[in-house]
Structures are given as C-alpha cells and as structure tokens.
Amino acid sequence: ANAANALDNQAWQLEKFIRSLCSLLYEARPHQSIGEVAIHVQSFLGCDAVHFDMPPSANSPWETPNDYLQEEKSILKRSLQCYVYRAFLLKPLALIVDDFVKNVRKNCPSLQDLESIEAHGIANLQQAALDDLANLERFLDSLQTAILEGGMDDFRSITSHPNFLSLRRMFHGKRGEIAWNELVREAVREQVEIEAYVPLRSVVSRWLVNGWRHEDMEAHFKINELRQRPSHYFGVPTMPDGSEIWMSAARILSENVERSTLPCAKLRAIVEAAREIARICESHRGKIVDSESNNPSQELRQLGADQFLPILIYCVVMAKIERPCALCVLLRALCDKVTRIGEVGYYLASFEATVVHVRDFDLTEETEHMKSFLSVNLDAE
C-alpha cells in the first residue's frame, strides 16, 4: 500500500511538473530552444501516437457545408477552452485549485481504511464514496459558475471574432443563443474537469473501484455470457441479409467511453452512441426487419424507448465496458447538472437503465450455456 501511495504521489508530482512546463508558453518569454523542448515534451506524453482531427486540406474539402460548420464550432470550443486555461494560470485561481487538490489527496483513505469502512457494510463504503464525490462536484460546479459569470463578456468577444463569422447564423435567434450557451458551458466544464478532476482521478477511481466492485464483477460476468448471444436474442432488429449494423454504436462506447478520462467526455460518448443508433434507424428505415417475424420492422418508424433500449443493451454488451456500474455512479455524481437535462439526461438515464438490466439479468434458466463459466454444479442440490 505504501509503495502504491508513493507511486501515486510521484505521478502527481510529474503531472504538476508537466503542467508547469506547458504553461511557460503563456507565462514566460519564448526561448530560442522552445521548439526543441516542445518536441521532447510531446514525445514524452506520447502525442506522436495520438490521432488529432485536422481540418481537410484544399485537396480534401469538406463533404458538406455542415462539416465545415462543425469544424468551425470545434475550433471555437477550443478557443474558449484556451481562455479558461489561461484563467486557471492566475495565481488566486491556481492557489484555490491547488489547495483543494492537496486537501482531498491528503484525506484520501488507504486500502486498509477502505477495508475498515467496508467491514461495517458495503453500504457504508458506498455512502462515504458518494459524500466525497459530492464534495468534488460542489467544487467543480463553483469553479464553473465563477468562470461563466466572470468571463461571459469575453466569451462573446471570442465568438464575434471574424474567424467565426460563418457561425453567426448558427447562433442567431433564441435557439441559436441556447446552442451558444450550451457550447460555452461544455467548453468551460471540460477545462474545469481538466484542472480539478484530473489531478484527483486516482482518488475517485479508488472510491469507485472498491465501492462498486461487487456490482461490476456481476455485470462483467453477465456481459461475457451475453456477448455470445446473437443480436436477435436481445430483440434487436437486423438487416434482411443478417449483416450487423449496430457495431458502429458499440465501437463508440468501447473506444470513446473507455479511453476518455473526463466524465463530461464519457457522457458525450454515450450521447454520441445513442445518436448513432437513431441515425442507423433513420438511414435503414424500411430495410430493417423484425427479429422475430423477419418482416420489415414498422415500429422503428418512430424510435421509442421500447425499441431503443434493446438496441442500447446489445451495444453496451458488445462494447464490454470494464466497470459499467462504477461509470454510472461517476457520471451521475460529477457531470454538470444543467447538461443532464433534456436529451442528454434521457440518454444517460437510458444507459443507467441498461446497466441495471444487464446486472439483474437472470441467466439461471440457461444453465447449459453457463456451465463453462462456473466452477460449481448448478444442478447439484
């Protein structure tokens, strides 16, 4: 345990050093060797192995005007995040974050402490975890509110830059104002999580992994079993030729949820996967057949919860998310409350319902399929 804590502290010190090194671009005059330093830092961080989305060149233009607008929107979001990043370089704000992170890390329970809490019941451990997460959520929310209230004029000034002229129609009118506010809120929240959540992710992970390990072990076991079932087992409609059309949504969950660090990025991936399911239903309307009758599915003309949930369950099972129960707790505890209203909230609730359904799935009726996974004889009295 001491070795693990020492390693965690060393990782935190290294992270602080790299953050300080990267901030020199804004805090100090550029040195003649800054280019060489940047190459070494990027190599150390593994940036050469990361795929960055680049706008198409002149030889590879955007396919549609909407692609261009989405790229412009992405650039605007990064510009807003850059502003928030520079705000966190201000000493008063930097000290507030640093003090909070130090205090949380100092009070983080050891593995022995967690075992002592769990000895009084797993519910006590989960409640202690939720209390700690609630404290972190309040801090994230307070930072987000302060930056939104203090920087709104600057956010509007950034948006009015000539580089974003093509976006003005998108942000025009009442709906446009709502879309702009959502973009600003998303950019601010993402940078707030980078500054305050990332240094504490090991603390959060320790709470979640230990507090919900029994639920995740059960879900993991059932997911492994259900992955062997064909899509029609879940009541999922298919193409007439039997081709698989839902794996693109499963890949989004597998790649973007598992590989993302930030809670807001994980939630965005879930929403993206849900929208992919809706897109597939729309693009294959009239071609998809019912899993039981093998006739064209009439129900998917309007994608309701009764049709959506089985597809999402199938995609979650195929994505094989490592700790789905802990993930649900993380998203419910730390994601922006305002963001969880409306469409995003519906998809998050659907994902949570999917995880609960998988975890509570009754496999006892199919003992023959389960025997390869169990070390005990289910037929024994």
Side-chain angles (χ1 to χ4, degrees):
N2 291 333
N5 289 334
L7 185 62
D8 186 44
N9 288 329
Q10 289 176 358
W12 183 47
Q13 292 296 328
L14 178 59
E15 183 179 309
K16 289 181 63 177
F17 170 73
I18 294 175
R19 283 175 180 265
S20 300
L21 190 62
C22 293
S23 68
L24 290 177
L25 183 63
Y26 294 96
E27 296 181 322
R29 290 189 176 185
H31 189 270
Q32 60 182 2
S33 301
I34 192 170
E36 183 179 354
V37 172
I39 291 174
H40 287 297
V41 172
Q42 291 174 16
S43 177
F44 176 79
L45 295 176
C47 293
D48 51 347
V50 178
H51 172 72
F52 293 97
D53 293 329
M54 299 296 292
S57 63
N59 297 327
S60 177
W62 287 274
E63 294 182 1
T64 65
N66 187 59
D67 294 337
Y68 174 78
L69 290 177
Q70 290 303 318
E71 179 61 32
E72 288 291 294
K73 188 177 176 181
S74 177
I75 295 173
L76 173 58
K77 179 187 171 183
R78 290 197 291 269
S79 300
L80 297 172
Q81 278 190 251
C82 186
Y83 171 91
V84 180
Y85 168 74
R86 297 185 69 176
F88 276 105
L89 295 178
L90 298 173
K91 266 194 173 179
L93 202 52
L95 286 173
I96 290 173
V97 174
D98 195 48
D99 288 345
F100 178 82
V101 170
K102 286 180 179 178
N103 185 57
V104 172
R105 291 179 64 88
K106 180 181 177 182
N107 296 318
C108 176
S110 63
L111 293 177
Q112 290 86 348
D113 295 331
L114 295 176
E115 290 174 359
S116 298
I117 299 173
E118 188 178 358
H120 296 86
I122 190 65
N124 290 333
L125 179 59
Q126 291 179 345
Q127 188 56 54
L130 291 174
D131 291 341
D132 224 27
L133 290 173
N135 182 42
L136 176 56
E137 181 196 27
R138 287 191 293 270
F139 184 70
L140 295 176
D141 289 347
S142 65
L143 288 176
Q144 180 181 14
T145 300
I147 293 173
L148 284 172
E149 291 179 352
M152 194 57 72
D153 290 340
D154 290 331
F155 295 144
R156 293 191 182 278
S157 177
I158 293 171
T159 308
S160 64
H161 191 277
N163 285 357
F164 306 118
L165 184 63
S166 58
L167 292 175
R168 291 186 183 178
R169 180 177 297 179
M170 179 185 291
F171 296 136
H172 179 71
K174 188 175 181 180
R175 289 187 176 180
E177 182 71 14
I178 293 174
W180 181 79
N181 276 290
E182 289 176 349
L183 179 66
V184 171
R185 194 173 190 91
E186 180 181 311
V188 172
R189 184 67 179 204
E190 187 164 321
Q191 195 61 40
V192 165
E193 289 183 6
I194 289 173
E195 302 294 337
Y197 166 79
V198 170
L200 296 173
R201 64 192 181 280
S202 61
V203 177
V204 174
S205 178
R206 180 174 295 184
W207 277 118
L208 293 175
V209 170
N210 288 277
W212 280 266
R213 70 178 183 277
H214 299 299
E215 290 88 340
D216 279 326
M217 286 174 63
E218 182 180 8
H220 183 71
F221 166 79
K222 292 181 177 177
I223 285 174
N224 280 341
E225 166 62 20
L226 292 171
R227 277 174 61 84
Q228 302 180 59
R229 305 291 197 272
S231 57
H232 64 76
Y233 177 86
F234 301 85
V236 172
T238 58
M239 292 292 287
D241 60 1
S243 61
E244 185 52 71
I245 57 174
W246 307 108
M247 288 308 295
S248 58
R251 280 193 294 271
I252 292 173
L253 291 173
S254 178
E255 297 174 2
N256 297 353
V257 173
E258 285 289 275
R259 297 180 185 178
S260 299
T261 299
L262 305 179
C264 65
K266 291 178 181 292
L267 180 58
R268 265 201 315 272
I270 291 173
V271 173
E272 183 183 350
R275 288 173 176 169
E276 175 68 5
I277 292 174
R279 185 197 65 78
I280 293 171
C281 290
E282 178 66 25
S283 61
H284 290 82
R285 182 176 296 176
K287 302 176 184 177
I288 299 176
V289 298
D290 186 83
S291 59
E292 295 181 0
S293 65
N294 206 37
N295 293 322
S297 177
Q298 300 297 319
E299 293 182 348
L300 285 180
R301 290 182 177 179
Q302 294 295 329
L303 185 62
D306 291 342
Q307 297 80 39
F308 173 70
L309 281 176
I311 301 173
L312 183 60
I313 290 170
Y314 174 70
C315 292
V316 168
V317 167
M318 299 309 295
K320 201 178 180 180
I321 297 173
E322 188 175 355
R323 294 186 179 89
C325 299
L327 173 62
C328 289
V329 176
L330 174 71
L331 298 180
R332 182 60 63 182
L334 295 186
C335 285
D336 184 12
K337 287 187 176 69
V338 174
T339 304
R340 297 201 307 255
I341 298 174
E343 180 192 31
V344 176
Y346 170 73
Y347 287 142
L348 175 58
S350 299
F351 181 80
E352 291 174 322
T354 295
V355 172
V356 171
H357 178 83
V358 170
R359 195 190 72 198
D360 295 341
F361 198 89
D362 186 9
L363 295 172
T364 57
E365 296 180 358
E366 303 180 36
T367 57
E368 290 300 322
H369 294 289
M370 296 176 62
K371 285 181 179 178
S372 60
F373 291 89
L374 298 177
S375 59
V376 297
N377 185 0
L378 293 178
D379 297 326
E381 294 182 358

